[in-house]
């Protein structure tokens, strides 16, 4: 899923300064799963904004709404009638949400209420870890099911580097050295020899380096 | 001869090689480079010029290399993959060799998180192993990575680094082997303080026949003080400073710790040279202590340096 972090309340208050009627807009997709932008969080943020604005003697009209998804125009359309009645919409979906909403309703000011951080998964309740950088050409099966692109701080394909110590990455004792894990895993699987191969340079065209990506599926297009 | 560099010739003639290291200044102070270089002249066969080491911005490595050439020393151009993509790396090696640079050391590079601009975006288009293979291709086939012909192929003696003390330990010789398979002509290791572990590493390397394919130079950095030893042990990832070395330094007067560190470095070189098979030379990294490099090299009985035609 796409994982995100709430923006500090103060930053959101600044964004909506001078805007009287505000909508906090959630999404039932990834951000609901990672507890940052679902219906519950919409309620929490709206309440916090009301309290803060009340204290400062500002208008407290903060409405709440959560769409099925914000990365699909079909659901954004549900706002068609209401959208222009707001001075500001704070979307707490991933970065796609505020863009889709702003595109559909050009007259309304739209703000991102969360910081979209990475594609990852939950390790335990309340802990997520980055797992993929959407490089566009998945190779994880060659590395024991671990991604060296997203999980090695240097995206090394022939790691581990000389900074790997005690299973941790040179950048922080909090970060696992994925290359240590790869070597361990491949050894366990009896596939260590495969890692002796010199991995050739990666073709980054399929990644963001090839320019913004777009996908057309003729079989699905109407 | 691949490049005809002094380092290559010294090694080819079977001499025990000695390389040194010089960190460019944090500014454009060319005089500072000349000043440090003069301490190393005639003391080492080639001088590594670091490339924004520890991700701290310094004078460009190639430029400091050129200053060394003008001073009559042979540089070893360090290049990291952190700051440049394949286009810039290939371009820079062409420029560097056009200026007379003949040795290159290919590195992934320290992550910028602990540098002086941690907010920067890193590149890591390639890793060090891939960089080695591209330079080998440019030199041996006269082609860019994309197979297009070069108008003038770079003659370069290609180096790489190996850290015997990083983890996982049993993989370190294998990874060094990958660098050699990719085209490394020489290897310089991370600073060695734990000799038994280095011995074990070299045994794995020799068992794989790596010392026959490539010159392996053992990294030596003199400990200046107890403080430095403790700092290295604690804060430098992949650095192994045994407790007994720290104790040995603690055993002498504070003012004499530097001399003791030099003594340790000399003993280390002698022991490596005499008792560890497969080592072709030493890489003396007297960081910000260039003026004491001579004591070490001389003390280890490695002066005068051979002159090879
Ligand atoms: S190899 Fe690419 S697509 Fe696969 S997990 Fe890693 S970044 Fe994602
Ligand atoms: S320590 Fe491991 S994860 Fe960190 S940069 Fe080096 S190889 Fe990658």
């Amino acid at each position: 899923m796409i994982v995100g972090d709430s923006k500090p309340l103060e930053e959101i208050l600044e964004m909506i300064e001078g805007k009287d009627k505000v909508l906090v807009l959630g999404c039932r997709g990834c951000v609901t799963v990672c507890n940052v932008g679902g219906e519950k969080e919409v309620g929490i943020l709206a309440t916090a904004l009301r309290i803060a604005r009340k204290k400062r003697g500002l208008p407290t009209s903060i409405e709440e709404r959560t769409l099925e998804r914000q990365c699909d125009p079909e659901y954004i359309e549900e706002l068609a009638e209401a959208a222009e009645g707001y001075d500001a919409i704070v979307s707490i979906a991933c970065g796609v949400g505020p863009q889709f909403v702003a595109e559909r309703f050009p007259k309304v000011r739209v703000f991102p209420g969360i910081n979209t951080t990475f594609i990852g998964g939950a390790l335990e309740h309340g802990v997520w870890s980055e797992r993929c950088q959407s490089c566009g050409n998945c190779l994880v099966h060659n590395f024991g099911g671990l991604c060296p692109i997203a999980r090695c701080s240097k995206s090394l394909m022939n790691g581990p580097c000389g900074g790997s110590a005690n299973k941790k990455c040179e950048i922080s004792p909090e970060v696992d050295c994925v290359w240590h894990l790869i070597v361990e895993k491949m050894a366990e699987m009896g596939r260590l020899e495969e890692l002796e191969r010199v991995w050739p340079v990666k073709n980054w065209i399929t990644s963001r380096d090839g320019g913004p990506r777009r996908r057309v599926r003729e079989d699905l297009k109407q | 001869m691949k490049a005809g560099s002094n380092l290559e010739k010294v090694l080819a003639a079977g001499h025990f090689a000695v390389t040194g290291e010089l960190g460019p200044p944090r500014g454009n102070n060319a005089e500072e480079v000349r000043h440090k270089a003069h301490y190393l002249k005639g003391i080492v066969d080639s001088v590594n010029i670091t490339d924004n080491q520890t991700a701290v911005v310094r004078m460009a490595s190639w430029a400091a290399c050129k200053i060394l050439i003008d001073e009559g020393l042979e540089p070893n151009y360090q290049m990291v993959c952190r700051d440049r993509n394949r286009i810039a790396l290939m371009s820079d090696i062409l420029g560097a060799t056009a200026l007379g640079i003949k040795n290159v050391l290919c590195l992934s590079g320290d992550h910028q998180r602990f540098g002086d601009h941690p907010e920067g975006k890193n590149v890591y288009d390639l890793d060090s192993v891939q960089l080695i293979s591209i330079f080998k291709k440019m030199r041996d086939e006269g082609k860019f990575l994309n197979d297009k012909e070069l108008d003038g192929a770079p003659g370069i003696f290609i180096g790489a680094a190996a850290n015997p003390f990083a983890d996982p330990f049993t993989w370190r010789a294998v990874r060094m082997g990958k660098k050699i398979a990719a085209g490394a002509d020489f290897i310089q290791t991370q600073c060695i303080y734990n000799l038994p572990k280095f011995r074990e590493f070299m045994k794995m390397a020799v068992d794989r026949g790596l010392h026959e394919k490539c010159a392996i130079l053992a990294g030596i950095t003199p400990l200046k003080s107890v403080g430095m030893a403790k700092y290295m042990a604690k804060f430098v990832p992949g650095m192994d400073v045994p407790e007994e070395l720290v104790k040995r330094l603690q055993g002498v007067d504070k003012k004499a710790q530097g001399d003791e560190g030099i003594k340790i470095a000399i003993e280390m070189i002698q022991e490596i040279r005499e008792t560890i098979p497969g080592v072709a030379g030493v890489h003396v990294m007297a960081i910000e202590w260039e003026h004491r490099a001579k004591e070490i090299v001389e003390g280890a009985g490695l002066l005068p340096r051979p002159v090879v035609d």
Side-chain angles (χ1 to χ4, degrees):
Chain A
M1 81 188 100
I2 292 178
V3 181
D5 286 329
S6 305
K7 276 187 182 284
L9 188 67
E10 206 48 50
E11 188 182 340
I12 301 175
L13 282 167
E14 258 173 52
M15 286 172 171
I16 59 172
E17 214 178 278
K19 311 276 185 279
D20 291 351
K21 230 181 141 213
V22 177
L23 173 69
V24 175
L25 187 64
C27 171
R28 289 190 212 287
C30 304
V31 290
T32 292
V33 185
C34 70
N35 309 79
V36 73
E39 193 166 1
K40 192 169 145 218
E41 293 76 28
V42 166
I44 294 168
L45 176 60
T47 308
L49 289 173
R50 273 179 221 121
I51 294 171
R53 299 243 287 198
K54 190 171 179 190
K55 264 195 199 153
R56 297 171 203 200
L58 297 168
T60 54
S61 162
I62 313 275
E63 287 183 26
E64 306 174 19
R65 189 152 178 180
T66 302
L67 302 179
E68 194 55 32
R69 281 198 294 280
Q70 290 190 34
C71 52
D72 223 325
E74 179 189 337
Y75 299 108
I76 305 278
E77 208 47 46
E78 289 172 13
L79 286 179
E81 282 179 15
E84 285 176 11
Y86 298 105
D87 301 313
I89 298 178
V90 177
S91 161
I92 56 172
C94 76
V96 179
Q99 295 189 57
F100 269 37
V101 176
E103 200 172 313
R104 173 64 185 82
F105 307 109
K107 289 196 191 120
V108 187
R109 287 296 303 275
V110 182
F111 299 96
I114 69 164
N115 294 318
T116 306
T117 45
F118 54 78
I119 303 177
L123 299 182
E124 55 185 280
H125 198 64
V127 182
W128 294 269
S129 123
E130 180 164 21
R131 289 298 155 100
C132 173
Q133 215 171 279
S134 61
C135 77
N137 183 11
C138 199
L139 304 160
V140 295
H141 56 295
N142 298 298
F143 303 101
L146 295 129
C147 172
I149 307 300
R151 297 178 66 186
C152 165
S153 303
K154 303 176 187 170
S155 295
L156 304 180
M157 296 190 66
N158 296 282
C161 77
S164 173
N166 305 316
K167 302 190 175 191
K168 297 296 172 187
C169 173
E170 70 175 32
I171 71 156
S172 160
E174 306 289 309
V175 177
D176 289 333
C177 170
V178 78
W179 265 103
H180 193 114
L181 301 177
I182 291 171
V183 171
E184 252 178 17
K185 181 82 179 290
M186 291 293 269
E188 261 168 43
M189 295 170 90
R191 293 171 55 199
L192 209 47
E193 261 174 39
E194 287 175 44
L195 290 183
E196 291 196 30
R197 160 175 187 213
V198 172
W199 271 92
V201 300
K202 191 165 164 64
N203 176 349
W204 296 106
I205 281 184
T206 55
S207 190
R208 175 64 184 71
D209 307 88
R213 290 165 281 180
R214 186 185 164 96
R215 185 155 185 266
V216 182
R217 281 265 309 264
E218 292 300 341
D219 56 331
L220 295 177
K221 263 173 76 181
Q222 278 142 14
Chain B
M1 284 281 133
K2 287 163 173 160
S5 72
N6 183 53
L7 177 61
E8 183 181 12
K9 287 182 196 161
V10 166
L11 286 165
H15 297 291
F16 193 76
V18 182
T19 53
E21 188 155 304
L22 186 157
R26 303 188 63 184
N28 66 355
N29 187 348
E31 209 35 63
E32 170 74 5
V33 179
R34 291 188 197 104
H35 177 73
K36 283 181 172 178
H38 118 106
Y39 289 119
L40 297 169
K41 196 168 180 178
I43 306 300
V44 296
D45 304 318
S46 172
V47 182
N48 283 38
I49 306 293
T50 53
D51 179 8
N52 297 304
Q53 88 247 30
T54 62
V56 169
V57 184
R58 291 167 183 275
M59 179 192 290
S61 174
W62 66 265
C65 284
K66 176 68 170 100
I67 296 173
L68 253 73
I69 293 175
D70 293 343
E71 293 299 301
L73 285 92
E74 177 171 285
N76 178 11
Y77 177 25
Q78 293 196 183
M79 294 180 91
V80 301
C81 297
R82 178 192 59 231
D83 310 323
R84 282 166 291 193
N85 71 1
R86 61 190 77 184
I87 299 171
L89 288 162
M90 288 190 283
S91 163
D92 279 355
I93 200 68
L94 294 176
T97 48
L99 291 176
I101 292 166
K102 291 178 179 165
N103 306 304
V104 64
L105 189 80
C106 304
L107 303 163
S108 296
D110 300 319
H111 195 275
Q112 79 280 5
R113 268 278 287 264
F114 294 109
D116 64 348
H117 289 76
E119 308 87 355
K121 190 174 191 309
N122 59 38
V123 181
Y124 293 117
D125 174 17
L126 309 176
D127 66 25
S128 56
V129 182
Q130 295 162 341
L131 183 62
I132 294 165
S133 67
I134 292 173
F135 285 170
K136 181 179 160 65
K137 178 174 181 168
M138 291 172 82
R139 180 189 68 198
D140 296 350
E141 298 171 37
K143 287 178 179 159
F144 288 107
L145 173 63
N146 67 0
D147 287 329
K148 294 272 187 300
E149 301 277 331
L150 281 160
D151 174 16
I156 20 173
F157 197 47
I158 304 172
N163 184 0
F165 311 103
D167 290 319
F169 177 59
T170 51
W171 189 250
R172 297 330 300 198
V174 183
R175 183 154 188 269
M176 179 166 81
K178 282 181 75 163
K179 294 189 174 185
I180 295 168
D185 302 307
F186 68 98
I187 296 280
Q188 291 169 320
T189 78
Q190 175 66 283
C191 324
I192 300 160
Y193 298 108
N194 184 340
L195 263 188
K197 198 160 184 186
F198 179 62
R199 194 182 301 279
E200 224 181 301
F201 167 82
M202 279 308 298
K203 183 169 179 326
M204 290 188 266
V206 169
D207 285 348
R208 292 181 159 254
L210 299 179
H211 63 305
E212 284 162 357
K213 298 180 192 144
C214 175
I216 301 168
L217 276 54
I220 300 289
T221 292
L223 292 166
K224 293 182 196 175
S225 62
V226 172
M228 173 181 174
K230 284 191 171 163
Y231 177 86
M232 292 241 228
K234 209 166 162 198
F235 296 111
V236 184
M239 189 75 78
D240 185 343
V241 187
E243 195 46 43
E244 68 241 40
L245 270 192
V246 181
K247 287 215 179 96
R248 183 168 157 187
L249 286 174
Q250 275 167 335
V252 302
D253 186 65
K254 201 155 187 195
K255 277 195 219 114
Q257 282 171 5
D259 292 334
E260 192 67 15
I262 300 253
K263 232 162 112 190
I264 294 171
I266 292 169
E267 289 169 18
M268 202 88 89
I269 294 175
Q270 286 170 332
E271 191 163 346
I272 288 171
R273 192 177 176 195
E274 283 155 24
T275 70
I276 302 186
V279 178
V282 281
H283 177 46
V284 180
M285 295 165 271
I287 305 157
E288 297 305 324
W289 231 23
E290 289 80 2
H291 63 286
R292 301 203 67 176
K294 185 176 177 189
E295 282 171 66
I296 300 171
V297 181
E298 194 163 40
L302 295 167
L303 284 185
R305 298 307 308 146
V307 180
V308 187
D309 278 327

